[in-house]
Structures are given as structure tokens and as C-alpha cells.
Amino acid sequence: MAESYEKKGCRIIGLCLDAEDEETMAEARQILKEAGVSYLNIVPFDGRSELLPNKLYPTTYFVDENGTILDGTVYGAQLSKYPLVLEKLLSQPVPESDGDGKGAA
């Protein structure tokens, strides 16, 4: 899915938010390796709970190039919902920027 959507201008990035120490990060790396995941994955970082306040794992956010969380958050492992949300978001016109990275007012 990551490869097919990259051709449409959409990049998939994984955030491993429930790995908090070396043991759980090693487990996460092993899971990614076994699944053959080749897209970018990021481990926890300071301030992530303020940026992405999820309470359920996995939670999927759809974010634009400015870091704005878009409609369509998917809670839980509902992979079948990803293409529906992505196609809807990719079909919407891109708002014009007014120079501050926040889009037109």
C-alpha cells in the first residue's frame, strides 16, 4: 500500500508510539522486519503525547505536508479503512497557501 500511494503523492510513515525502552523498541523492530515493512518508521519522541494524543493502539492519523491532522482518523487495526480515507483525501483540492503554511483563510 505504501508503494502504491507514494506514486499518488502520499507518503506512509509509521510511528511506534508504544515502544518506550530498548526492549520494546527491539520488539517493534523485529515485528517490522518480519512484516517486510520498508517505509519510514519513527520511534517515540518527547512531546509526542501533546502532538498525537491517542489512547488506542494502533491509531492512524492522516496529515498534510504542513503537519495538520486531516479528517479520517482510524482507531484500531482497521486496514480496510485506509484506502477509503486516502482516496477521499487525495481527491480533495489542495487549499492555496497564504505563505504561513496554514492554507488560505
Side-chain angles (χ1 to χ4, degrees):
M1 185 171 73
E3 290 174 11
S4 67
Y5 279 99
E6 192 160 340
K7 293 174 186 172
K8 297 179 180 185
C10 175
R11 185 162 186 206
I12 307 293
I13 299 173
L15 298 172
C16 185
L17 300 178
D18 55 347
E20 299 185 7
D21 55 31
E22 191 52 44
E23 182 181 340
T24 54
M25 285 194 288
E27 183 180 340
R29 284 190 287 273
Q30 184 63 31
I31 291 169
L32 293 171
K33 181 179 176 182
E34 289 173 6
V37 172
S38 61
Y39 54 84
L40 176 65
N41 277 270
I42 301 171
V43 296
F45 52 91
D46 289 337
R48 73 103 181 136
S49 61
E50 291 80 33
L51 180 63
L52 301 169
N54 60 307
K55 295 178 175 85
L56 179 65
Y57 296 99
T59 297
T60 302
Y61 297 98
F62 299 89
V63 182
D64 69 11
E65 66 273 6
N66 298 312
T68 303
I69 296 175
L70 306 171
D71 291 335
T73 301
V74 175
Y75 299 98
Q78 300 184 54
L79 298 177
S80 63
K81 288 191 175 185
Y82 297 173
L84 301 171
V85 175
L86 286 169
E87 291 299 329
K88 178 183 173 192
L89 292 172
L90 290 171
S91 70
Q92 296 175 356
V94 177
E96 290 184 34
S97 176
D98 60 4
D100 65 0
K102 296 181 181 177

